[in-house]
Structure formats: structure tokens, C-alpha cells
Amino acid sequence: QVRLVESGGGSVQAGGSLRLSCEVSEYTYTNGCMGWFRQAPGKEREGVAAIESNGTPTYVDSVKGRFTISRDNAENTLALEMNSLKPEDTAMYYCAADSVRCGSWPLSPLRVFGYWGQGTQVSVSS
């Protein structure tokens, strides 16, 4: 059973930084897509960043230049470095993994990921 566990969330002031981590266990898909999603209260879940097994990233426009996604295939870990945080980044952040490659639109609401973590809260105050 694939299991994902996030860590690293917390509360910061605007302009601050946080690093989210995700440990993925029992994951054997060498070419599978991994990603970070977030959901703020009262809003739809939003794809933040995704990454292919070869390291190719995709970002939603609102985080480009501020967030960096990375993965360690040997350790089966996923990370999201978040800099210059804004109050609008406040949300529950979830890591996700899939058995297939990211493809062209990995952050589309129609893209289904097979495995999800429980989430970690990120709160940014102004």
C-alpha cells in the first residue's frame, strides 16, 4: 500500500519561507508523477507543482519564481521549497503520487493522482 506523509508546514509572516517534505513508502513506479496540491477554506483544490521522474517540473503561474519542487527517486521523497510566501498561499498542502508520467497537464483539475497524503497546514500572515 503506497503511503505518503507530509511534514514541514507551519505559520510564517509574509515574505518568509517554508520547506515541505513528503515521504513516500511502498512506491515502485519509477516513472510516476509526483506533485503538490493545496486547498484553502471555501476554495477548490489547486495544483501547485508537479515533477516528472527525470526532474522536469511544472508550476502553477501564481508560484512561479517563488516555489521549487524537487524529488529524490532513490529515497522516494518529494519536497517543496516555498519562498516569498504570501497570505494567499495559506492552505492545506497535500503531496500526491501517481503510477504514470505527469504528461502535458499534470496540474489540471481533471488529472487524477492515485495516491495522496493527509496534508500539512501552511499559514501566512500579513
Side-chain angles (χ1 to χ4, degrees):
Q1 182 77 8
V2 177
R3 185 166 177 252
L4 293 83
V5 179
E6 303 96 336
S7 61
S11 298
V12 295
Q13 290 190 325
S17 300
L18 284 173
R19 179 180 173 86
L20 305 184
S21 297
C22 178
E23 294 189 11
V24 187
S25 57
E26 306 299 326
Y27 183 75
T28 60
Y29 306 105
T30 55
N31 294 319
C33 183
M34 291 187 177
W36 288 96
F37 294 76
R38 66 187 179 187
Q39 188 166 20
K43 294 189 176 182
E44 297 289 321
R45 187 175 65 196
E46 174 188 39
V48 176
I51 187 168
E52 296 279 18
S53 59
N54 66 3
T56 301
T58 301
Y59 298 97
V60 69
D61 285 347
S62 61
V63 308
K64 285 180 180 177
R66 300 189 298 122
F67 291 10
T68 302
I69 188 171
S70 61
R71 66 188 282 177
D72 185 326
N73 293 327
E75 298 292 329
N76 270 346
T77 57
L78 180 69
L80 185 68
E81 187 74 35
M82 304 185 296
N83 298 314
S84 301
L85 282 161
K86 303 176 181 180
E88 51 264 43
D89 294 318
T90 295
M92 185 71 78
Y93 282 70
Y94 300 89
C95 65
D98 203 9
S99 59
V100 297
R101 293 183 59 185
C102 294
S104 298
W105 305 103
L107 303 180
S108 164
L110 300 179
R111 176 66 160 83
V112 177
F113 278 71
Y115 308 101
W116 292 84
Q118 294 299 307
T120 185
Q121 179 68 39
V122 171
S123 298
V124 184
S125 59
S126 57

